[in-house]
Amino acid sequence: QVQLVESGGGLVQAGGSLRLSCAASGGTFSHYVMGWFRQAPGKEREFVATINRSGGYTYYADSVKGRFTASRDNAKNTVSLEMNSLKPEDTAVYYCAADSVPATIGKTSTEYDYWGQGTQVTVSS
């Protein structure tokens, strides 16, 4: 059992930057593959990024590649998503998630066992 608490969402103008953080407790954080997903109103939840247990490997959706950077600090039990060059189409609720049995590094939401509460990111034009 792990609890995830997100922070860092807010309003930002197009072209700006925002850093999201997710703090984990209740498990062995370094054993989890972590993921970031987002969901806009009326749309399906979509994959954004994933990061492996050590933090040495990341994978990003094409829509954010080159603009977003995922990282983790296993000593502090946190995972972050640095978002740069934000666009209005990035507007969504962003979720962090933990995969407790990572057979593979997942890009599918059903692989993840635990989810944060979500944090709203709104990008104005």
Side-chain angles (χ1 to χ4, degrees):
Q1 185 75 23
V2 63
Q3 295 79 47
L4 305 174
V5 180
E6 297 172 314
S7 61
L11 302 174
V12 64
Q13 293 184 349
S17 299
L18 204 61
R19 185 179 180 89
L20 307 182
S21 295
C22 182
S25 62
T28 305
F29 180 71
S30 62
H31 288 184
Y32 301 127
V33 166
M34 300 296 295
W36 287 96
F37 293 79
R38 67 187 183 185
Q39 188 168 21
K43 297 185 178 180
E44 298 288 334
R45 186 171 298 182
E46 66 173 338
F47 168 77
V48 175
T50 188
I51 185 166
N52 76 339
R53 293 163 62 176
S54 69
Y57 172 84
T58 54
Y59 185 83
Y60 303 92
D62 288 342
S63 58
V64 307
K65 194 172 298 181
R67 300 188 298 119
F68 290 12
T69 302
S71 61
R72 68 192 295 164
D73 187 339
N74 287 343
K76 297 182 178 179
N77 291 353
T78 59
V79 61
S80 299
L81 185 69
E82 179 71 30
M83 304 184 294
N84 299 311
S85 301
L86 283 162
K87 306 173 181 180
E89 52 263 43
D90 294 319
T91 296
V93 176
Y94 284 71
Y95 300 89
C96 66
D99 181 359
S100 62
V101 188
T104 62
I105 297 176
K107 308 170 191 175
T108 304
S109 62
T110 54
E111 296 184 54
Y112 293 85
D113 305 295
Y114 306 103
W115 294 82
Q117 79 283 4
T119 185
Q120 177 71 48
V121 172
T122 302
V123 184
S124 64
S125 59

